[in-house]
Amino acid sequence: MPTTDPSVPQDPAAVGDRTSTAATGTARVKRGMAQMLKGGVIMDVVTPEQAKIAEDAGAVAVMALERVPADIRRDGGVARMSDPDMIDGIVAAVSIPVMAKARIGHFVEAQVLQALGVDYIDESEVLTPADEAHHIDKWAFTVPFVCGATNLGEALRRISEGAAMIRSKGEAGTGNVVEAVRHMRAIRSELRRLQSLDEAELFAAAKDLRAPYELVREVAQIGSLPVVLFTAGGLATPADAAMMMQLGAQGVFVGSGIFKSGDPAKRAAAIVKATTFYDDPDVLAKVSRGLGEPMVGINLDTLPAEQRYAERGW
Amino acid sequence: MIGVLALQGDVREHRRALESVGARTRLVRCVEELAGLDGIVLPGGESTTMVNLAASFGLLDPLRHAIHAGLAAYGSCAGMILLADRVCDGVPGQPTVGGLDITVRRNAFGRQVESFERDLPMTGVAGPPVHGVFIRAPWVESVGPGVVVLAQVSDPSGADRIVAVQQGALLATSFHPELTGDLRVHEYFLNVVRAEPGWSQAPGRRLSKGA
């Protein structure tokens, strides 16, 4: 290999520049961050030790929270943003991005999380909503937001409020993937339907979706959301993750499924591998072996209406 | 044929950019998919995740050997970290693919709230400045004697930081041209690939356009 490449022009005047100014918190920078997470697994962690296990297993990011959703369900009461000390401890423990949850509509929790320097905020139905009518105005923040959606209209409303990433809103803490599947199928089939509409029909579609016409038109043209779409809620096995990827998710969140299982490190690594090789059944069979006990699941028909998180948010 | 390492990250954006400038592409997840490549792109994403997966599936050593044997490579952001011989502020003991005689500082420009975009001049890229999107971006702390610095930007303290480098057939940027629609950096990489001895002579190792 040559030590200097003569094909590279040497022009010192072109190197280094102080005239252009840097812009932070732009839509491209916020949405771009989610692009970098694609094909990856974001894991819920409650301690620095768990965060380290997640990083070593190949997580692309961790979600710092005080209790995983399964424990929030068990304990009941009001679930809020985590203690800043706890978030700081996790930020200090790992080199990968750290996300944290704010309550739906709780813009001051979001301000606090931004001040702490978290890399992404999840405006999450897993916590107890703080506002019954309004989500956070996410354009007002430098830090990007991910929001849950059960269908295309909900996804577009969140994007119009400034969400830079969307995830399905499967029932967190249940170990039951059925709701996440429903949301992913709903979003994908509504996207396909939008592409089949003519210009005039898009106005009515925007009304039905309760979403801004301009955004509906953009989505109809590009055939996908303008932001990255992940899946979340109830994933517990490598096969769950791979199925969601085959259904069109661009990456996965795993909450209680890892650290409520028998062998978290092994299960975490297996889910990471299954997310990358989601379309290779031989790899999926290999990584699904010998993972120990999965988390105990909850059948959703036994879950009372007030404990259904997906119905939180509007 | 240009490979795109497809273990994790913004694979699709790199693939689209490469195809827009006339390259044929192949996603690379396993060793067999390395065969017959003229070049490879290591995308943006999480370097720890990519190294972990590459090691688990036996891709790390073959990739390392291919690059040391002269396979052209371009890495953006996490890809730059993978190509670096030395990483600081990384996970202790984090291995890299290596090949570029540089020391890279991970997340050097700060956390996501400090991520930014700006125009910057890049040596070898004609026309208006390149628009750089820097996401939890690394910078190059120091370079070895064979490395050419192609671009620098000032950090918040006003110090110039190296954000694009080339050493022979290896190219790396701290920023993400694949997110901007500006194809000139990918075009630059294809020109690097075409300038390599042996390119276009071996059957089956041919770009679809421009040969």
Side-chain angles (χ1 to χ4, degrees), chain A residues 6-27:
Chain A
S7 70
V8 181
Q10 297 291 312
D11 178 8
V15 177
D17 172 67
R18 291 184 183 81
T19 55
S20 174
T21 51
T24 57
T26 61

Side-chain angles (χ1 to χ4, degrees), chain A residues 47-66:
Chain A
T47 63
E49 292 71 33
Q50 288 186 356
K52 204 60 209 138
I53 291 170
E55 181 176 52
D56 291 344
V60 287
V62 291
M63 177 76 70
L65 68 178
E66 249 162 17

Side-chain angles (χ1 to χ4, degrees), chain B residues 22-142:
Chain B
R24 285 194 300 142
T25 62
R26 179 199 298 157
L27 300 184
V28 175
R29 288 190 303 186
C30 57
V31 180
E32 301 76 55
E33 289 159 344
L34 277 176
L37 293 179
D38 296 295
I40 188 165
V41 167
L42 311 182
E46 274 306 310
S47 59
T48 51
T49 302
M50 288 190 231
V51 164
N52 184 311
L53 284 164
S56 297
F57 288 90
L59 192 57
L60 194 55
D61 281 333
L63 188 55
R64 196 176 274 152
H65 293 145
I67 285 172
H68 284 261
L71 178 66
Y74 166 44
S76 71
C77 196
M80 173 190 258
I81 296 168
L82 293 184
L83 285 177
D85 281 343
R86 296 166 300 277
V87 180
C88 44
D89 279 5
V91 175
Q94 177 182 343
T96 67
V97 175
L100 260 178
D101 184 12
I102 59 174
T103 302
V104 162
R105 183 173 293 280
R106 272 186 83 193
N107 307 333
F109 284 102
R111 304 193 67 84
Q112 172 61 14
V113 289
E114 278 112 26
S115 292
F116 62 97
E117 51 181 310
R118 57 163 287 170
D119 289 338
L120 63 137
M122 182 167 162
T123 303
V125 174
V130 170
H131 192 67
V133 181
F134 295 80
I135 296 174
R136 286 171 52 93
W139 68 47
V140 179
E141 195 85 5
S142 61

Side-chain angles (χ1 to χ4, degrees), chain A residues 237-248:
Chain A
T237 68
D240 286 349
M243 177 168 73
M244 298 313 297
M245 293 295 286
Q246 289 195 27
L247 285 172

